[in-house]
Amino acid sequence: MMRVGLLGCAHVHAAHYVAALRAGDIGARAVALYDPDSEQAAAFAAAHGLERATDAASLCGAVDAVIVVSEHSRYVEMVQSAARAGLPVLCEKPFGASLGDLRTLLATDVWCSVAFPMRYAPPLVRAKAMIEQGGLGELVAMSGTNRGSYPGGFFGDRARSGGGALIDHVVHVADALYVLSGLEYETVYAEAGRFRNVGDVEDVAQVLATTTSGAFASIDSSWSRPAAMPGGLDFQMTLWFERATLHLDGMARRGLVVAADGSIDYEEYGRGVNEAMLSAWVRAIESGAAPPIPALDGARATELALGALRSAETGRVVDLAALR
Amino acid sequence: MAALHLATLLEAPGVRVVGLAAPEIDRSLAKIMATREIEEMATEALLAPGALDAVVIATPTDRHSELASLAVLAGAAVFCEKPVTRTLAEAEHLAALAARFRAKVAVGHVLRYFPEYEAARRQVATGRIGTVGICRLLRANTSPVARRPWYGERARSGGVLLDLAIHDLDWCRWALGPIRRVFARASGPEEQRVVAVLARHTSGAISYLDASWRAGHFDSRLEVCGTEGIYCAEHSGDAGFCLVPVHAEAASYLPSEADGSAGVDDPYRRELTEALAWFAGGPAPRAVLEDGIEALRLALAAEESIAFGQPVELEDPR
């Protein structure tokens, strides 16, 4: 049984990963946690039955691998702690809260996979296999959405998150399009706004990027859905190819549950994407393989998100090559 | 659109159809003309000064300006299909002429009469969904170019932006207020073009539209997100109805029908009926010349943004 430690627990996915490791037959368990915010650490450790380490180095000494799920602004120090201990890492997205962080993470000598679980969503896996056969022709354009509600916590605090809806959700669709098409991004433009006034970050955002092949790709990453909306989190992509159009819904594998009072909810069925991602991560570590989702892929998608943030602030089209 | 509008005119009380001018008359139009004894006339005769009270223009877009101007000069009120004209210069010329002759010009921005779009605007206007932060729209259709080649000539039709996107841009303006900035991208061949239009309202709200001539069948959607809730709807014309042929090539034996929405909610009949009532002295319809011009300005700003790859700021957004 692989012993997994958490570096930080502020991210909403920390609890999801602990639960997925516990529920699945992945061969790994979350056992310990280090978070510099001791109150936060105590509450999370108690809720999930984890040991608490007093610092990052002692956590790394007690486990076989780590998952970085802290505030975005701490990713660099957390990944570097794991690097010093020679431990394999799963780093939550985005891959850096700033361009500086992104460069530092890329330059860090560490076995690091990036958390893009939507790569494992069955409709995307099926689409990738179909696209690779080549019959659909070149990509003409893509329109995607990854909308949700405001996650709360540090996400609304720019100093710790790096940004709002643009930093939280652009990367998933950006990575999915790269995985499906192999296309690189060239420019990005974005409009963003604050309509619910959560923290000091943008909560609505629409991105319109181009690829080096001349296709366009749009991503709605807004926290536009009401907090209590059943099934509010979405992940959809329409891909126009020369010879066909593909509609993908990464959240479609769920059933509708209607309670006696008429309230509705959705229940995911089948193997979840987090479980599939963690399983692939554990297998790669055990077999000595390369990280399933390499740092460079994390950097590519994150660069698009950070470029979009800059565009929204300056009102200009951002040339992504100029950011490197 | 000509046959649909003609059917409305024939049912409208107090309206007599004097004649119809068209370079080509298709089967559905010919059938109505024969059964209702409508005379085919030359454009010059039809638009002779004093010959009629009102004109419906449903020609290819590049002829709107000339015909609407002639109608105004002839002292007639005008109902013109959208887009109001092909170019902004034409639209401004028409506006000056209409002002000088005090002519009434209504524009066929029919989306304002589609029930799901009326309801969406109502959610905003009544405050039910709070302050709008972002709005997402989709309008997709099969390419019209094979059946009507003039659509494929951008100089004549304005392409997918002036055929499809202009509907939603007009609705966004109507429901969410003036737009001050537009950014757009396009991809694909002209006859199957896909466009993405991003608009910033003076209120701060963001609107985003996917429009394409690349769909297998007509599709439209909208989602409006506000601080107090969201409103989502899909095309009312197909709501609750889906016919799937057994054979792929079955189109030839299936019963033909007009746009489903025309049968139930009649947005096309309502827009023209309101315009006719205006011409007879009643209140103005939902979209008049100024609205047609603003919608055209937005669609052309999107085209300019596509051409230069930069956002376009609208002067004096209205």
Side-chain angles (χ1 to χ4, degrees):
Chain A
M1 185 67 68
M2 183 185 287
R3 294 164 56 80
V4 175
L6 300 190
L7 282 171
C9 62
H11 203 282
V12 289
H13 290 151
H16 300 157
Y17 296 155
V18 172
L21 287 172
R22 184 167 292 138
D25 52 357
I26 293 170
R29 283 283 185 280
V31 293
L33 158 71
Y34 166 69
D35 193 306
D37 180 335
S38 57
E39 218 170 283
Q40 187 167 268
F44 193 91
H48 298 277
L50 304 180
E51 298 288 323
R52 271 181 68 196
T54 50
D55 55 49
S58 57
L59 177 96
C60 291
V63 297
D64 305 314
V66 297
I67 302 179
V68 174
V69 263
S70 61
E71 297 87 345
H72 302 157
S73 57
R74 293 195 206 274
Y75 285 3
V76 168
E77 66 174 90
M78 296 299 192
V79 170
Q80 287 182 338
S81 296
R84 277 192 292 276
L87 286 187
V89 177
L90 176 68
C91 184
E92 183 52 61
K93 55 81 194 167
F95 200 59
S98 66
L99 287 165
D101 282 4
L102 186 154
R103 288 190 202 103
T104 307
L105 286 170
L106 261 187
T108 304
D109 183 19
V110 62
W111 190 101
C112 181
S113 191
V114 182
F116 287 143
M118 294 314 292
R119 284 196 184 193
Y120 300 91
L124 273 81
V125 173
R126 185 173 169 189
K128 183 170 166 60
M130 183 177 273
I131 292 164
E132 279 170 355
Q133 292 174 43
L136 303 182
E138 298 295 316
L139 182 78
V140 173
M142 186 284 293
S143 177
T145 63
N146 189 190
R147 294 166 293 187
S149 49
Y150 170 52
F154 76 91
F155 283 87
D157 176 8
R158 176 140 192 193
R160 289 185 288 161
S161 63
L166 282 166
I167 294 305
D168 187 28
H169 273 184
V170 167
V171 291
H172 288 298
V173 180
D175 179 65
L177 181 63
Y178 167 73
V179 168
L180 292 175
S181 70
L183 296 173
E184 300 279 353
Y185 299 104
E186 185 167 77
T187 71
V188 63
Y189 179 84
E191 293 278 357
R194 303 180 59 209
F195 83 128
R196 285 190 218 273
N197 285 312
V198 292
D200 60 354
V201 296
E202 75 286 353
D203 54 4
V204 287
Q206 175 67 50
V207 173
L208 193 37
T210 55
T211 68
T212 52
S213 70
F216 73 73
S218 78
I219 304 172
D220 183 342
S221 64
S222 302
W223 292 333
S224 51
R225 268 68 196 296
M229 178 174 167
L233 180 67
D234 82 343
F235 185 98
Q236 300 189 50
M237 300 172 80
T238 295
L239 298 120
W240 292 278
F241 288 93
E242 284 176 297
R243 288 191 279 280
T245 302
L246 203 50
H247 299 288
L248 305 178
D249 183 345
M251 301 289 178
R253 288 166 58 85
R254 59 191 183 189
L256 175 68
V257 183
V258 184
D261 65 358
S263 63
I264 64 165
D265 202 0
Y266 293 91
E267 171 107 354
E268 283 180 39
Y269 54 71
R271 193 186 199 203
V273 292
N274 287 334
E275 201 183 321
M277 176 183 74
L278 290 164
S279 178
W281 176 67
V282 168
R283 294 290 91 74
I285 294 170
E286 285 175 343
S287 64
I293 303 175
L296 200 58
D297 291 4
R300 176 184 297 103
T302 303
E303 184 185 75
L304 185 74
L306 293 167
L309 195 62
R310 180 171 293 188
S311 172
E313 284 166 356
T314 61
R316 294 168 188 274
V317 177
V318 170
D319 180 358
L320 293 167
L323 298 180
R324 283 164 210 151
Chain B
M1 297 308 307
L4 204 52
H5 289 320
L6 183 55
T8 300
L9 293 174
L10 289 168
E11 289 165 17
V15 172
R16 186 172 67 85
V17 179
V18 176
L20 185 145
E24 276 177 73
I25 291 179
D26 66 21
R27 278 224 324 258
S28 58
L29 212 46
K31 197 174 149 195
I32 304 176
M33 289 172 71
T35 53
R36 302 298 294 259
E37 297 178 347
I38 295 163
E39 194 182 340
E40 186 183 352
M41 294 171 71
T43 307
E44 302 73 42
L46 198 62
L47 294 180
L52 24 80
D53 301 314
V55 178
V56 172
I57 298 173
T59 62
T61 303
D62 59 331
R63 299 216 55 207
H64 286 185
S65 164
E66 169 206 350
L67 295 171
S69 299
L70 282 174
V72 168
L73 288 170
V78 176
F79 175 89
C80 185
E81 259 309 324
K82 51 89 327 220
V84 61
T85 55
R86 174 60 188 84
T87 70
L88 210 50
E90 290 171 346
E92 281 160 1
H93 176 258
L94 178 60
L97 208 60
R100 180 139 56 93
F101 286 81
R102 297 178 192 281
K104 290 174 178 170
V105 180
V107 183
H109 281 294
V110 73
L111 210 58
R112 297 187 181 207
Y113 294 88
F114 270 74
E116 70 275 36
Y117 289 85
E118 286 180 315
R121 180 173 182 263
R122 200 159 58 235
Q123 309 313 307
V124 178
T126 60
R128 187 172 181 192
I129 59 170
T131 305
V132 174
I134 192 162
C135 173
R136 184 178 183 85
L137 306 111
L138 167 88
R139 187 159 306 277
N141 208 350
T142 55
S143 176
V145 175
R147 283 177 57 212
R148 296 191 170 84
W150 68 271
Y151 273 105
E153 296 174 49
R154 194 171 317 158
R156 298 194 66 195
S157 70
V160 70
L161 275 170
L162 262 59
D163 177 40
L164 295 185
I166 199 167
H167 280 296
D168 301 87
L169 290 169
D170 173 68
W171 181 85
C172 284
R173 208 189 132 249
W174 186 52
L176 307 178
I179 288 168
R180 62 180 166 90
R181 183 167 59 233
V182 168
F183 181 78
R185 294 284 190 191
S187 190
E190 180 69 19
E191 66 277 10
Q192 289 164 336
R193 205 175 188 213
V194 184
V195 296
V197 185
L198 185 44
R200 195 72 191 237
H201 294 263
T202 53
S203 71
I206 297 166
S207 287
Y208 174 78
L209 165 70
D210 283 315
S212 89
W213 273 347
R214 217 182 165 82
H217 57 85
F218 180 77
D219 192 10
S220 76
R221 291 153 197 252
L222 87 161
E223 177 176 309
V224 194
C225 298
T227 48
E228 305 302 319
I230 67 177
Y231 173 87
C232 317
E234 297 182 7
H235 179 46
S236 58
D238 291 333
F241 185 85
C242 179
L243 175 69
V244 181
V246 174
H247 303 292
E249 69 283 8
S252 59
Y253 69 71
L254 290 176
S256 67
E257 61 167 3
D259 185 318
S261 58
V264 188
D265 303 298
D266 267 358
Y268 298 96
R269 185 182 54 75
R270 287 173 58 214
E271 62 165 351
L272 183 52
T273 304
E274 276 197 16
L276 294 171
W278 182 41
F279 299 159
R286 291 180 187 172
V288 296
L289 181 57
E290 290 70 29
D291 302 302
I293 293 174
E294 288 307 304
L296 180 68
R297 271 217 302 164
L298 293 169
L300 294 176
E303 194 65 76
E304 186 186 337
S305 174
I306 290 166
F308 295 101
Q310 296 296 328
V312 173
E313 303 283 339
L314 277 299
E315 275 177 45
D316 182 25
R318 274 172 284 181

